[in-house]
Amino acid sequence: AQGICGNHDAQYGGFGAAPKFPPSMTLNFLRALRSQVEDDSAERINAVCHTTLRAMAHGGLYDQFGGGFARYSVDAHWLIPHFEKMLYDNALLIDAYTRAWLDQQEPLYAAVVEETVAWLEREMSAPEGGFYAALDADTEGEEGRYYVWTPEEVDSVLGPSLAREVRAAYNITPEGNFENGRSNPALVEADYSIRETLADARRRLREYREAERVAPGRDTKISTMWNAMTIRALADAGFYFDRPEWTE
């Protein structure tokens, strides 16, 4: 536990330098050790786990408008991901955020679980049952094209007043943080209540991109192991969040 925590990035969360992969199993392992360590080490484990989970939930690794996590971040602060979405990553992250919510009933953790489950149901569910394996990173030959925005695009969907709030909360700027002046949304607003008020705006932006953009390619194989991980995560989340439809 001391060795793992010693490699923690106290500023941005995660372990080591870029690229950073979501360390779901490491966080669960650390939490499992808390009852076996001294009080100060248990406090250190809590700080490490929640710093990382909050950073990932605020960053561009998380699809802020559509739910679900990309595979890894190319930078140290979780802003720009490799935009591929993998079923097993999201199964592990649903599990990690569910367990973190049991530690601290942070509404952001519950929202991440709910939105990621909604993404699974919406984009990854096979009609015959089970979940597909992955979504590609690129569309029309450009990585991330499906997920990134210019201020003008946000304005055109939401109108200038609401768009101004969304752009401020999600750091969508004229300069952009990605390629060609586009921005990958990241939640820079610390007040969770503002995130809640923007739920309808996020839905409208998601529906716009679904209707107007070319969707990423989908790997439609059904992996038994990855599905087992997902089913386990959904069963636990359904139980702890009192959402029996997830368990079903």
Side-chain angles (χ1 to χ4, degrees):
Q2 289 173 350
I4 293 169
C5 290
N7 199 34
H8 180 248
D9 182 341
Q11 184 174 8
Y12 297 119
F15 301 94
K20 285 182 175 175
F21 289 77
S24 309
M25 291 181 286
T26 300
L27 299 178
N28 285 347
F29 175 74
L30 286 174
R31 280 200 296 269
L33 290 178
R34 281 178 307 186
S35 63
Q36 303 174 42
V37 299
E38 301 295 332
D39 287 347
D40 56 345
S41 294
E43 290 176 12
R44 172 71 171 143
I45 286 171
N46 276 333
V48 164
C49 290
H50 291 289
T51 296
T52 297
L53 288 161
R54 290 189 199 103
M56 291 192 298
H58 275 265
L61 183 80
Y62 184 64
D63 181 353
Q64 298 291 343
F65 297 162
F69 288 85
R71 190 163 176 233
Y72 62 87
S73 175
V74 302
D75 54 67
H77 40 284
W78 307 106
L79 179 59
I80 303 299
H82 174 54
F83 287 88
E84 184 179 24
K85 287 182 175 179
M86 309 297 293
L87 181 64
Y88 68 88
D89 280 327
N90 284 281
L92 291 167
L93 284 158
I94 289 170
D95 181 50
Y97 279 92
T98 298
R99 292 170 188 272
W101 183 82
L102 292 172
D103 280 349
Q104 299 179 3
Q105 275 72 53
E106 284 208 22
L108 180 61
Y109 296 165
V112 164
V113 172
E114 182 173 11
E115 292 164 10
T116 301
V117 173
W119 165 74
L120 285 175
E121 294 174 339
R122 191 175 60 247
E123 299 188 34
M124 302 298 282
S125 295
E128 67 273 17
F131 297 96
Y132 296 130
L135 295 180
D136 291 345
D138 58 320
T139 54
E140 300 180 286
E142 293 184 33
E143 180 165 349
R145 183 183 180 95
Y146 186 71
Y147 300 102
V148 296
W149 299 82
T150 64
E152 293 76 18
E153 288 173 317
V154 178
D155 290 355
S156 71
V157 177
L158 300 177
S161 178
L162 181 56
R164 192 178 304 115
E165 295 180 50
V166 170
R167 288 191 277 108
Y170 289 95
N171 197 33
I172 299 170
T173 65
E175 301 78 22
N177 58 33
F178 191 55
E179 299 166 353
N180 303 316
R182 297 189 180 103
S183 294
N184 184 43
L187 180 62
V188 294
E189 173 56 62
D191 185 347
Y192 180 78
S193 66
I194 293 178
R195 187 188 193 276
E196 285 188 298
T197 66
L198 297 176
D200 186 63
R202 293 196 304 274
R203 176 191 58 79
R204 290 166 61 185
L205 291 166
R206 173 181 61 78
E207 290 178 350
Y208 171 86
R209 79 184 189 191
E210 289 173 349
E212 302 296 332
R213 298 180 179 181
V214 176
R218 186 161 51 196
D219 180 347
T220 58
K221 70 174 173 283
I222 307 292
S223 163
T224 301
M225 182 176 71
W226 296 2
N227 270 265
M229 294 163 69
T230 306
I231 291 165
R232 177 184 181 276
L234 288 172
D236 279 354
F239 177 80
Y240 289 119
F241 288 104
D242 193 21
R243 298 289 293 270
E245 70 273 20
W246 294 353
T247 302
E248 288 179 25

